[in-house]
């Protein structure tokens, strides 16, 4: 990320200045490696905690955790042993870290640990300051070259405290509701329903009402019913669902205001992003924005530890709303649209726009244009 480069790759100095957002694979995964490695060798850092769901052999992240433990820091790794196709690798890496002095926790019986979080405690001026990394992607160097994900670094005190609460839950099963972060399986589902109901209320009072969600899969029946209800109450809904989608869009009287598309391109679309209009003409300034690890499936909402993160800083909101979501909605080159008969098809377009090519810097930035919804005068205005 450019902001990190401006501080000569000093992660702590850069994060002190402002929150940092990276967009993999267009921004390098090395920013995360640098963050953990710097923490491992920084004399002011006293503790590092991290969740490891899926990582690669000879991972620089794992090596950094081992270095930190050898340097006398308190290091905790929450390792998910049932990460599909990574079970054996995770067991071996856990044993390697444990032998070096890393405290290993295997999570909670019956609950898969799917959230992506790193917490670093650093002493500054006699005060313990928490630096946090949260995101939508795994700490997997190879996947970060092929999957599109959001990577977020912050020094926000409340998010730092909330992340402490999550690690406390994962290691002790003591549940306490965070102030800013949304966590599953306890609070995430209810908050999503509240946000959908809020848009319904705006529509019923004649205010702009809009929802845009980008996830891998949408199969949860209760969330689908909420979206159907919102559609027929007057809420415009755009869904970018890469894989499984059990919702049927465009059915009169049921889902008439819902569109669904899937983007299939060079990179695997993996980021999960939730936008809610908040009763205003949609913009990066006023939208309610979350991103994180959770798809809209029963297992994610009820059977896994997941995190959604609020986008609060202006820079982060602009990148997500006016950049990532804008480009994904505008994409026609790699988009497949789902119709009311559950059939995917490519739609003809006079102007072909490819979101992934745009983010690789191979598209003219001017082609992105103004962010404007085509439905019901719900306008996005680029900041």
């Amino acid at each position: 990320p450019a902001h990190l480069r401006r501080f000569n790759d000093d992660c702590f100095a850069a994060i002190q200045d402002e929150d940092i957002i990276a967009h993999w694979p267009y921004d390098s995964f090395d920013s995360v490696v640098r963050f953990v490695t710097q923490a491992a060798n920084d004399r002011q850092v006293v503790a590092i905690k991290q969740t490891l769901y899926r990582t690669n052999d000879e991972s620089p992240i794992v090596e950094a955790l081992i270095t930190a433990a050898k340097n006398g820091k308190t290091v905790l790794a929450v390792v998910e042993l049932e990460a599909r196709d990574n079970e054996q690798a995770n067991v071996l890496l856990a044993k390697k870290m444990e032998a070096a002095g890393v405290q290993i926790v295997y999570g909670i019986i019956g609950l898969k640990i799917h959230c992506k979080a790193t917490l670093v405690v650093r002493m500054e001026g006699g005060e313990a300051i928490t630096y946090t990394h949260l995101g939508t992607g795994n700490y997997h160097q190879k996947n970060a070259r092929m999957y599109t994900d959001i990577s977020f670094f912050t020094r926000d005190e409340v998010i730092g405290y909330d992340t402490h609460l999550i690690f406390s839950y994962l290691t002790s099963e003591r549940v306490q509701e965070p102030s800013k972060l949304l966590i599953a399986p306890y609070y995430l589902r209810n908050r999503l329903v509240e946000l959908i109901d809020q848009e319904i209320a705006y529509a019923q009072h004649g205010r702009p009402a809009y929802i845009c969600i980008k996830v891998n899969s949408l199969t949860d029946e209760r969330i689908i019913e909420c979206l159907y209800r919102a559609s027929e109450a007057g809420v415009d809904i755009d869904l970018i669902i890469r894989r499984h989608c059990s919702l049927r869009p465009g059915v009169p009287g049921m889902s008439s205001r819902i569109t669904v598309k899937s983007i299939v391109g060079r990179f695997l679309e993996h980021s999960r992003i939730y936008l809610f209009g908040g009763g205003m003409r949609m913009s990066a300034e006023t939208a309610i924005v979350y991103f994180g690890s959770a798809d809209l499936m029963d297992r994610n909402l009820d059977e896994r530890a997941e995190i959604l993160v609020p986008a609060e800083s202006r820079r982060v909101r602009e990148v997500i709303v006016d950049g990532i979501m804008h480009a994904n909605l505008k994409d026609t080159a790699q988009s497949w649209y789902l119709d009311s008969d559950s059939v995917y098809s490519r739609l003809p377009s006079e102007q072909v726009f490819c979101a992934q090519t745009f983010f690789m810097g191979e598209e003219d930035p001017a082609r992105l244009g103004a962010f404007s919804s085509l439905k019901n005068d719900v306008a996005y205005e680029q900041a």
Side-chain angles (χ1 to χ4, degrees), residues 152-168:
F152 173 68
F153 304 84
T154 187
R155 193 173 178 263
D156 182 281
E157 291 183 11
V158 178
I159 288 180
Y161 181 73
D162 285 355
T163 308
H164 277 288
L165 293 180
I166 289 166
F167 276 102
S168 176

Side-chain angles (χ1 to χ4, degrees), residues 32-287:
V32 179
V33 175
R34 175 64 181 164
F35 175 64
V36 182
T37 301
Q38 184 178 344
N41 292 287
D42 189 312
R43 292 184 178 181
Q44 293 174 256
V45 169
V46 295
I48 303 173
K49 299 180 181 181
Q50 187 172 59
T51 60
L52 289 174
Y53 177 76
R54 193 184 304 281
T55 190
N56 51 297
D57 297 336
E58 301 180 1
S59 165
I61 297 289
V62 171
E63 293 303 320
L65 295 178
I66 290 172
T67 298
K70 290 180 178 179
N71 286 340
K73 305 180 192 306
T74 300
V75 183
L76 169 72
V78 181
V79 180
E80 177 50 66
L81 294 181
E82 296 185 8
R84 189 180 66 251
D85 300 327
N86 266 69
E87 296 91 339
Q88 185 176 3
N90 283 4
V91 169
L92 295 176
L93 289 173
K95 289 181 178 179
K96 182 179 179 181
M97 287 188 289
E98 194 166 32
V102 177
Q103 181 183 354
I104 301 297
V105 174
Y106 295 110
I108 300 169
I109 294 175
L111 185 76
K112 184 172 283 191
I113 311 302
H114 191 248
C115 52
K116 332 296 183 183
T118 302
L119 182 153
V120 172
V121 179
R122 190 170 189 259
M123 299 304 298
E124 298 176 2
E127 184 180 1
I129 303 297
T130 299
Y131 292 80
T132 309
H133 174 266
L134 301 164
T136 67
N138 301 305
Y139 293 107
H140 195 297
Q141 199 170 24
K142 293 181 180 178
N143 283 359
R145 297 185 185 131
M146 298 181 290
Y147 293 11
T148 73
D149 276 301
I150 291 175
S151 182
F152 173 68
F153 304 84
T154 187
R155 193 173 178 263
D156 182 281
E157 291 183 11
V158 178
I159 288 180
Y161 181 73
D162 285 355
T163 308
H164 277 288
L165 293 180
I166 289 166
F167 276 102
S168 176
Y169 165 59
L170 296 178
T171 55
S172 69
E173 299 189 45
R174 292 196 299 267
V175 181
Q176 185 174 338
E177 184 174 5
S179 298
K180 287 187 177 182
L181 301 180
L182 305 182
I183 66 167
Y186 292 100
Y187 308 106
L188 178 52
R189 176 189 290 279
N190 288 344
R191 180 55 179 155
L192 288 178
V193 172
E194 288 175 3
L195 289 167
I196 295 170
D197 285 344
Q198 203 169 60
E199 294 301 314
I200 292 174
Y202 292 138
Q204 290 172 339
H205 287 84
R207 296 175 63 179
Y210 183 69
I211 297 170
C212 184
I213 297 174
K214 178 182 183 294
V215 291
N216 292 288
S217 297
L218 169 58
T219 60
D220 184 85
E221 292 183 8
R222 283 177 282 178
I223 294 295
I224 290 172
E225 289 297 332
C226 287
L227 293 174
Y228 284 156
R229 185 161 48 85
S231 167
E232 298 318 295
V235 181
D236 288 305
I237 303 171
D238 286 321
L239 304 176
I240 306 167
I241 315 294
R242 174 179 59 84
R243 196 171 57 163
H244 307 305
C245 182
S246 300
L247 178 147
R248 292 179 61 197
V251 178
M254 184 175 79
S255 56
S256 58
R257 292 177 178 267
I258 303 178
T259 66
V260 177
K261 69 188 296 188
S262 174
I263 296 177
V264 182
R266 172 178 177 177
F267 303 118
L268 184 142
E269 293 292 336
H270 193 252
S271 56
R272 293 90 166 183
I273 301 171
Y274 298 78
L275 303 185
F276 300 89
M280 306 286 286
R281 292 170 63 88
M282 178 59 100
S283 72
E285 184 177 351
T286 59

